[in-house]
Amino acid sequence: MAFRQYRIGSIMFGVALGTSMMVTIFFPSIDMSKVEATKYALQYMLMYGRESAFAYEDPFLEGKGKPITVVLSKDPKTGQPLAEKVTAYVYKPGTPFPSPLVHEGKLGDKIEQASADLGKYKQATEAQGAVFLVRETKDGTPYIENATATRGWTPEATLAAADQQFYAGAGRTMFIREGCWWCHTLLPEQTKDWQTFGRPPVIGDFNGTSPTTFGSDRKAPDLFHVGSRNSSREWMTLHFFNPRLVQPHSIMPRYDYLWYTGVKDKAKAKQLQEYIKRWDKEYLAYARGERVYPPEVPEPPADSDARKLIDFVLTLK
Amino acid sequence: MLKYLFAREEDIPQGSAAIYAGVSAIAWFIIGAGLGSFNAAKLAFPDWWHGYYSLQFGHMRQVHVHAVIFGWIVLAFVASSFYIVPTLGNTKLWSEKLGIWNVLLWNVGLALALALLWTGITSGREYSDHIWPIDLYIAFFMAVPWAANVWLTILNRRTQGIYTTNWFFAGSTFMTIIVFLIGNLPEWFHLTGLNEAYMTWWFAHNVLGLLITPVAAAITYYIIPKITGNPLYSHRVGHLHFWSIVVFYSTPAAHHLMSAPLPEWLKSFASVEGVLILVPAIAYVTNILLTMQGKWRMFVENVEVKFTITGVLLAIPLNFQGGFQQTRAINWYIHGTGWIVAHAHLALLGFSTFAEAAAVYYGLQVLTGRKLWSYSLANFHFWMLLIGFSLYWISMTIAGLIQGAGKIYQVPYIDVVIAEHPYMIVRWLGGTLVFLGNIIWLWNMYMTVKEGTPVPEGRQPHELAYER
């Protein structure tokens, strides 16, 4: 053929693109995979479970297959009081584990060693479920303890003995489904943000979390540490129901519908839905000055999506 | 159009696939801009349409983004490639039938993908929001057939060399598939933590850098010489543009995460490469503007040239922002603020949209053999887009600077929200003008096909005088 062949050009193109991929994918990923996890990373990962977005166990993002975070003041096995309150992460049988519990080499060698020797984390299986704790060795290395193996705490007994239960794992799914991250970031920046929004994360804080949803377009306060700024469940309840009840200038959408989504009792859900419609009318009357107080905000049912979301937000310490 | 789905290849008129893609793209642009305008209204008046829970901001925001990127921007690229690539190769499109199927699968797939996003079924990764089954669909039923048609048409060319535009079409369709498959690895392999965060932005950066910007530029490399009759100012500079895109645009992905705790070497490297993006940018803009020598009156008199050159001129602030806002010295101020939103719209609604609108205007006239029905309406569309875009860009840039100042001086966040309110209203207005302008565009194109003056064989539409 008399046509020009472009052979050299094609080879050059391959070399250029290949080198670029090498530098931008291969090198960074081996570097970042070696990162040693922090204690926070272990907590976040155990709290949120395997994947907070679309996944086999939860294709419609309803918060299925997620662990429950509990606070204990007595030993679930013996019933004896504990020296201090303990936070535990309960994986009921069948709940998928976060990826670093199943695949090695994602938390750093020292942590995995300690978690295997002291914490027996490799004995945990998804089929039987497990209760995990985050502990520290004497020299300060954080590690994961599989309390089902080390202390005989079964998931059922632990849930029964809990002082408080937080559906933080399911709540993080709601955070992603409802698109909170289009307005809120989960990433205090390293510049001056830390004074208002708290400590910026460090390089090992995210091992095991997926998706990270840092957020790129901040139209609202950073939420990475919001639970330590504001730990009031009442405030959060009012604010999610209608942000303008507590912050008249807020542009945050109302999340009142989360009061009845997720509720298993259909009759109750229906009733709440009706109530919310009525609520709007009464609220408008209040806004016009025809009522002294705004109508009452209902308590979100224990299985509602609102409850899960509030639990997630309050655990963002 | 659909009657050709099962027709024999030789019975399908040339250009059918391009017309189908072009009209679909305009329709998606109307939908996407409408959603954008609606979202903007929600940010100014959060209780507007309250009670329609499916219209929540958090559910609609990504639908707007994907409707304009996949529906308008990329589908308009498909439309342009379906007539520009064969013309430059002095041949016909490899398969019109594949092209028509491609566009049909595109429209159906995109509608499904957007419906899922709307209900909140997402992978939770910005720009790769689609869940992995949809990712596979996009890769193999939308991108691969398009790339195959472009590639095989170029291989079947009847010309000696390959013109600049076609290098870009060939290179970009290929790179897009690679970027798409690699960029979605976090989902297929359950990557977590920084690996996941970095790959998400690697994807976002490269889709923009290796598909949208270069192809938009490729289109202008065709439109300007074709309509003005001037040869491209320099093929050498075109080479420089192409190769520096491949090398410098594919590397700075980490600059999107300058304030995240990535390894420092990666951020520094990305930042330096990010400034080097100015090399292809300057090469490109000078090349096109110098091609205009002696023909500047067409910037005023000709619709396509007006659109294209406006796009090219908008590429100047775009690239200077892009090159410098990602350096540490500037990024700390504007990161995550409305400034970036403004910048993204400068790239997509400014530069690429103007370049593509010209290609769609021109393509639909040439392919249907009809001269544009109304020059005044086209001008009106141009000004609606330009004024709408400018309102948007200026208001969001100001809002971003306010947010930046709020961040640095630790103003209580609610005061920032209050200060931004007027700019949110202006942004809404801007988006609405773009939406309304596009409806007029679709009407004008419809009338062109129905009543436009027929263009005789071998003539250019703009050479004919209006008879009315």
Side-chain angles (χ1 to χ4, degrees):
Chain A
M1 258 196 318
F3 279 3
R4 228 181 281 162
Q5 288 295 331
Y6 291 96
R7 172 160 299 143
I8 298 177
S10 306
I11 295 173
M12 272 168 60
F13 181 76
V15 172
L17 197 65
T19 314
S20 149
M21 303 266 154
M22 189 83 168
V23 180
T24 60
I25 296 186
F26 188 65
F27 292 164
S29 46
I30 44 176
D31 196 16
M32 289 190 288
S33 304
K34 283 207 308 265
V35 166
E36 184 98 357
T38 60
K39 187 173 165 188
Y40 296 106
L42 303 185
Q43 290 170 346
Y44 298 142
M45 148 190 131
L46 290 172
M47 185 145 65
Y48 302 143
R50 188 170 75 125
E51 175 93 44
S52 308
F54 176 78
Y56 308 107
E57 66 274 11
D58 191 19
F60 301 110
L61 280 84
E62 296 162 301
K64 289 192 179 142
K66 298 293 177 293
I68 299 172
T69 304
V70 300
V71 179
L72 297 166
S73 55
K74 59 177 197 272
D75 187 309
K77 187 166 175 218
T78 60
Q80 296 298 318
L82 294 167
E84 55 182 35
K85 287 197 176 189
V86 170
T87 304
Y89 309 98
V90 181
Y91 284 70
K92 288 194 209 160
T95 306
F97 289 167
S99 129
L101 293 184
V102 198
H103 302 286
E104 279 179 29
K106 296 201 163 188
L107 299 175
D109 295 342
K110 261 167 63 186
I111 297 180
E112 291 192 353
Q113 196 65 42
S115 306
D117 295 348
L118 303 171
K120 306 211 170 105
Y121 84 111
K122 286 196 181 148
Q123 294 179 13
T125 62
E126 287 176 2
Q128 284 168 0
V131 176
F132 295 106
L133 311 175
V134 174
R135 305 279 310 274
E136 262 180 41
T137 61
K138 284 193 205 71
D139 64 357
T141 309
Y143 69 93
I144 299 169
E145 176 175 336
N146 170 11
T148 313
T150 55
R151 310 179 187 210
W153 295 1
T154 60
E156 305 84 70
T158 311
L159 285 179
D163 297 350
Q164 276 175 298
Q165 297 190 6
F166 293 100
Y167 303 128
R172 193 169 204 274
T173 307
M174 302 299 133
F175 184 81
I176 288 169
R177 184 187 77 190
E178 296 302 325
C180 312
W181 51 294
W182 297 120
C183 289
H184 292 279
T185 47
L186 286 178
L187 184 75
E189 296 177 6
Q190 287 160 349
T191 49
K192 276 203 176 175
D193 257 3
W194 55 272
Q195 295 181 16
T196 8
F197 295 137
R199 177 190 74 98
V202 297
I203 195 160
D205 276 352
F206 296 105
N207 299 34
T209 303
S210 174
T212 38
T213 41
F214 290 154
S216 65
D217 174 8
R218 189 192 278 170
K219 302 188 255 304
D222 189 274
L223 295 184
F224 200 58
H225 300 294
V226 66
S228 22
R229 282 202 296 280
N230 182 345
S231 58
S232 160
R233 192 172 278 273
E234 286 66 43
W235 191 91
M236 290 297 167
T237 308
L238 292 177
H239 186 254
F240 281 127
F241 195 80
N242 182 347
R244 265 121 352 250
L245 282 175
V246 287
Q247 179 47 271
H249 296 289
S250 181
I251 57 162
M252 178 157 146
R254 303 188 198 179
Y255 287 99
D256 44 7
Y257 61 100
L258 296 181
W259 261 245
Y260 56 83
T261 55
V263 175
K264 292 199 191 66
D265 180 348
K266 287 280 162 289
K268 193 170 173 190
K270 189 95 199 114
Q271 201 189 339
L272 272 164
Q273 201 170 352
E274 307 275 283
Y275 179 75
I276 288 169
K277 276 210 196 100
R278 220 167 49 235
W279 193 94
D280 273 342
K281 286 208 190 76
E282 293 174 10
Y283 177 70
L284 285 180
Y286 159 75
R288 283 192 302 268
E290 291 160 17
R291 284 172 62 118
V292 183
Y293 297 109
E296 203 61 33
V297 171
E299 193 64 28
D303 53 354
S304 65
D305 290 346
R307 158 76 197 278
K308 297 169 198 157
L309 193 63
I310 294 173
D311 280 1
F312 166 68
V313 171
L314 290 177
T315 46
L316 286 168
K317 294 280 179 179
Chain B
M1 218 26 92
L2 299 183
K3 68 176 183 277
Y4 296 129
L5 283 176
F6 298 102
R8 280 180 308 161
E9 178 69 30
E10 36 311 354
D11 295 342
I12 305 176
Q14 276 183 50
S16 303
I19 295 173
Y20 186 20
V23 174
S24 308
I26 302 179
W28 280 115
F29 194 9
I30 294 176
I31 296 173
L35 288 169
S37 145
F38 188 84
N39 289 349
K42 285 275 208 176
L43 290 178
F45 306 105
D47 281 334
W48 202 51
W49 287 79
H50 167 70
Y52 293 86
Y53 294 121
S54 51
L55 304 181
Q56 277 290 340
F57 177 79
H59 282 248
M60 302 246 298
R61 194 254 195 207
Q62 61 277 42
V63 182
H64 156 68
V65 170
H66 287 271
V68 289
I69 292 185
F70 284 98
W72 158 241
I73 305 270
V74 187
L75 199 50
F77 286 163
V78 173
S80 322
S81 69
F82 280 173
Y83 78 92
I84 295 177
V85 173
T87 311
L88 288 173
N90 202 2
T91 178
K92 41 192 196 35
L93 187 65
W94 180 69
S95 169
E96 286 287 342
K97 191 164 164 176
L98 177 66
I100 290 172
W101 273 100
N102 195 175
V103 180
L104 177 71
L105 290 176
W106 198 290
N107 286 336
V108 172
L110 186 58
L112 178 70
L114 295 185
L116 287 178
L117 282 187
W118 201 314
T119 56
I121 299 177
T122 167
S123 71
R125 299 185 170 92
E126 190 168 359
Y127 290 110
S128 39
D129 306 77
H130 299 294
I131 60 177
W132 64 261
I134 296 285
D135 289 333
L136 287 178
Y137 181 97
I138 294 176
F140 293 105
F141 292 99
M142 288 158 65
V144 168
W146 176 35
N149 233 339
V150 167
W151 274 78
L152 290 166
T153 306
I154 292 178
L155 288 178
N156 285 342
R157 72 188 185 278
R158 288 186 284 165
T159 52
Q160 249 293 340
I162 302 176
Y163 178 65
T164 323
T165 300
N166 277 0
W167 308 335
F168 277 103
F169 270 119
S172 294
T173 46
F174 174 75
M175 291 190 287
T176 305
I177 294 173
I178 305 264
V179 165
F180 210 87
L181 294 179
I182 295 184
N184 280 300
L185 288 183
E187 244 184 293
W188 292 322
F189 293 109
H190 283 292
L191 299 190
T192 63
L194 291 182
N195 275 315
E196 185 271 335
Y198 175 62
M199 288 301 283
T200 298
W201 285 100
W202 183 89
F203 172 85
H205 177 83
N206 284 328
V207 156
L208 213 98
L210 301 182
L211 174 67
I212 296 180
T213 353
V215 176
I219 289 177
T220 62
Y221 275 130
Y222 174 76
I223 294 288
I224 292 298
K226 180 80 185 176
I227 294 181
T228 59
N230 280 352
L232 183 63
Y233 175 71
S234 162
H235 280 260
R236 285 276 152 80
V237 177
H239 270 279
L240 177 65
H241 176 202
F242 180 79
W243 288 103
S244 53
I245 286 269
V246 176
V247 177
F248 296 140
Y249 225 136
S250 64
T251 38
H255 71 201
H256 293 262
L257 289 169
M258 288 305 274
S259 48
L262 290 187
E264 290 299 318
W265 72 265
L266 184 58
K267 288 198 257 180
S268 303
F269 168 75
S271 211
V272 173
E273 296 288 300
V275 177
L276 289 173
I277 289 183
L278 285 169
V279 174
I282 293 172
Y284 162 64
V285 173
T286 31
N287 208 359
I288 294 286
L289 294 185
L290 288 172
T291 304
M292 284 294 289
Q293 276 169 351
K295 293 287 167 63
W296 276 100
R297 82 192 147 72
M298 293 188 92
F299 179 36
V300 182
E301 291 169 1
N302 180 286
V303 188
E304 291 87 15
V305 174
K306 185 182 290 182
F307 268 99
T308 313
I309 293 299
T310 308
V312 175
L313 292 175
L314 289 175
I316 298 174
L318 169 70
N319 288 302
F320 276 95
Q321 282 193 339
F324 293 116
Q325 73 191 11
Q326 44 91 34
T327 59
R328 287 173 205 255
I330 300 178
N331 195 259
W332 67 292
Y333 200 85
I334 45 108
H335 180 266
T337 68
W339 172 286
I340 304 292
V341 183
H343 173 75
H345 283 78
L346 180 55
L348 296 186
L349 178 58
F351 169 50
S352 346
T353 288
F354 279 86
E356 288 174 282
V360 174
Y361 264 113
Y362 181 70
L364 288 181
Q365 292 177 71
V366 174
L367 297 170
T368 58
R370 300 277 187 162
K371 185 178 168 64
L372 189 61
W373 182 64
S374 164
Y375 178 68
S376 319
L377 281 187
N379 253 333
F380 187 70
H381 174 221
F382 173 83
W383 286 107
M384 289 288 265
L385 275 192
L386 188 62
I387 295 172
F389 159 74
S390 306
L391 288 177
Y392 189 102
W393 185 54
I394 294 169
S395 64
M396 284 312 289
T397 300
I398 297 177
L401 291 173
I402 294 175
Q403 278 172 295
K407 176 161 84 173
I408 303 313
Y409 299 111
Q410 297 151 50
V411 175
Y413 205 91
I414 192 64
D415 292 334
V416 176
V417 175
I418 295 170
E420 280 180 308
H421 182 67
Y423 303 98
M424 294 295 136
I425 298 176
V426 177
R427 152 202 235 191
W428 173 30
L429 194 69
T432 310
L433 292 187
V434 171
F435 168 65
L436 296 176
N438 286 332
I439 295 180
I440 289 169
W441 185 21
L442 189 62
W443 165 248
N444 198 7
M445 285 341 273
Y446 172 75
M447 292 308 285
T448 301
V449 175
K450 233 179 88 182
E451 289 184 5
T453 317
V455 181
E457 193 70 39
R459 298 295 300 278
Q460 288 282 336
H462 62 87
E463 293 165 357
L464 308 180
Y466 276 105
E467 286 153 11
R468 273 178 279 129

